[in-house]
């Protein structure tokens, strides 16, 4: 199978299964300093504790799965395996096994995004950003992306909703002050300041997701009543204006007492 075929077009596996089948063809060792990370990869927050654990495992067992790279001048850009590369450096390895792929920059980005999503160790915001990038860069619908990743469309949709949150709320998810579930519920509020206000309330009062959902439902009920009231006010003002034209004097309608007053 050609490495230049679209990773998304080939489904979940992308190029990763070729490595996981323990194929030795094409694997070679290179100086670890000749490899550099891909800036386009979705994982922005590196869990140093997990890197240290992986480094310890590499010290004991070595790197079981080679790093997938793309040649870039005299160096190699990581397509998949940045955590292994970081852990190998921490473990003091001088050389690491790689598999070099001759693919375009766009295909490299595609594979990197899918590999990271498959690993399921992205935080919720990084995962949502990865979905958005795949949709934007490859012109996919949410349904198409869901099919290619083996996920449900609602799962993709709900993940993307997190990106509509106020940045302060997003930071609270990243800092694990509130959960992804809280974020998805809070995203139902359009007002950014109100989102942040609710998130603070969640933290201060220790609200769970269900309690947060009830809170937002009550806010929406109040909002609906206010909007209906405003609509009614417009209707009454229209009647007042019509009566004013008929009687030639200012007209005031009192909603509470159902009384029309001519002035």
């Amino acid at each position: 199978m050609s490495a230049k075929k679209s990773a998304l077009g080939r489904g979940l596996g992308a190029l990763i299964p070729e490595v996981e089948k323990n194929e030795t063809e094409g694997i070679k060792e290179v100086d670890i300093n000749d490899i550099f990370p891909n800036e386009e990869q979705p994982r922005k927050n590196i869990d140093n504790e997990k890197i240290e654990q992986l480094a310890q495992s590499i010290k004991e067992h070595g790197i079981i799965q080679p790093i997938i790279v793309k040649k870039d001048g005299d160096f190699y850009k990581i397509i998949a395996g940045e955590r292994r590369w970081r852990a190998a450096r921490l473990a003091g390895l001088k050389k690491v096994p790689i598999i070099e792929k001759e693919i375009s920059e766009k295909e490299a980005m595609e594979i990197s995004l899918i590999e990271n999503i498959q690993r399921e160790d992205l935080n919720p915001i990084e995962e949502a950003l990865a979905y958005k990038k795949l949709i934007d860069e490859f012109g996919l619908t949410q349904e198409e992306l869901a099919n290619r990743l083996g996920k449900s469309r609602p799962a993709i949709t709900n993940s993307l909703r997190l990106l509509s949150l106020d940045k302060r709320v997003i930071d609270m998810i990243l800092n694990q002050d509130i959960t992804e579930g809280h974020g998805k519920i809070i995203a139902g509020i359009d007002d950014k300041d109100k989102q942040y206000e609710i998130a603070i309330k969640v933290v201060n009062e220790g609200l769970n997701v269900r309690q947060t959902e009830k809170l937002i439902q009550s806010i929406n009920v109040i909002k609906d009543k206010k909007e209906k009231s405003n609509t009614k006010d417009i209707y009454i003002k229209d009647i007042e204006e019509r009566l004013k034209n008929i009687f030639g004097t200012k007209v005031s309608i009192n909603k509470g007492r159902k009384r029309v007053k001519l002035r």
Side-chain angles (χ1 to χ4, degrees):
M1 183 177 291
S2 171
K4 292 189 177 182
K5 279 190 177 181
S6 168
L8 281 175
R10 292 163 54 188
L12 260 180
L15 298 177
I16 310 307
E18 297 178 17
V19 181
E20 292 178 342
K21 290 177 182 176
N22 295 321
E23 295 178 357
T24 57
E25 185 179 356
I27 296 178
K28 61 182 179 181
E29 285 196 339
V30 300
D31 191 311
I32 197 169
N33 293 318
D34 288 342
I35 301 173
F36 65 94
N38 184 357
E39 295 179 356
E40 296 294 332
Q41 81 124 318
R43 185 187 292 109
K44 303 303 179 186
N45 296 319
I46 302 297
D47 189 325
N48 290 326
E49 184 177 346
K50 288 185 178 180
I51 295 296
E52 289 174 3
Q53 292 172 357
L54 183 55
Q56 185 59 41
S57 175
I58 287 175
K59 284 181 181 179
E60 296 178 11
H61 308 290
I63 297 182
I64 298 173
Q65 183 177 330
I67 299 167
I68 300 177
V69 301
K70 178 184 184 305
K71 188 74 172 176
D72 191 320
D74 294 329
F75 298 92
Y76 300 93
K77 179 191 290 186
I78 296 174
I79 297 173
E82 181 176 337
R83 290 175 69 253
R84 295 192 294 279
W85 172 73
R86 289 181 180 274
R89 292 181 65 186
L90 187 61
L93 268 63
K94 303 298 182 184
K95 292 182 176 292
V96 292
I98 65 165
I99 291 182
E100 182 182 344
K101 295 295 179 181
E102 295 181 5
I103 53 179
S104 69
E105 285 295 324
K106 190 170 185 178
E107 287 170 326
M109 178 189 73
E110 181 183 4
I111 294 168
S112 179
L113 288 167
I114 291 177
E115 192 266 351
N116 276 284
I117 292 171
Q118 284 180 304
R119 298 305 179 202
E120 296 183 347
D121 59 356
L122 296 179
N123 66 53
I125 302 302
E126 289 172 337
E127 185 172 347
L129 287 170
Y131 291 154
K132 185 176 186 302
K133 192 149 194 172
L134 284 168
I135 288 171
D136 292 345
E137 294 289 337
F138 299 95
L140 298 172
T141 65
Q142 291 184 23
E143 187 72 36
E144 289 170 335
L145 179 59
N147 289 336
R148 283 161 170 76
L149 294 175
K151 295 178 179 286
S152 69
R153 189 192 60 76
I156 301 293
T157 301
N158 285 330
S159 178
L160 290 170
R161 289 181 67 194
L162 295 174
L163 302 181
S164 68
L165 290 168
D166 181 85
K167 185 182 182 303
R168 294 168 293 181
V169 180
I170 288 176
D171 288 340
M172 292 173 76
I173 294 175
L174 291 174
N175 294 331
Q176 299 183 351
D177 297 322
I178 61 175
T179 68
E180 176 184 3
H182 285 113
K184 289 175 180 177
I185 297 297
I186 295 172
I189 298 291
D190 294 329
D191 186 284
K192 303 289 188 182
D193 289 330
K194 180 63 70 174
Q195 289 177 355
Y196 181 60
E197 180 183 323
I198 292 171
I200 291 296
K201 189 177 182 68
V202 167
V203 173
N204 290 342
E205 299 184 15
L207 302 180
N208 59 34
V209 173
R210 181 58 183 159
Q211 290 169 328
T212 305
E213 186 175 23
K214 287 183 177 179
L215 171 64
I216 292 177
Q217 285 173 347
S218 66
I219 291 173
N220 286 335
V221 167
I222 295 172
K223 180 183 176 183
D224 289 342
K225 287 182 178 179
K226 186 175 180 181
E227 288 177 350
K228 287 179 181 178
S229 175
N230 290 338
T231 300
K232 192 171 183 179
D233 287 343
I234 294 172
Y235 176 69
I236 290 174
K237 286 179 180 179
D238 181 60
I239 295 175
E240 288 176 341
E241 190 63 30
R242 289 169 183 260
L243 291 175
K244 175 184 175 182
N245 293 334
I246 293 172
F247 295 109
T249 184
K250 190 171 183 180
V251 177
S252 176
I253 299 177
N254 188 316
K255 290 189 297 181
R257 297 182 181 180
K258 298 180 181 180
R259 181 179 299 170
V260 177
K261 182 177 180 182
L262 303 179
R263 286 187 267 174

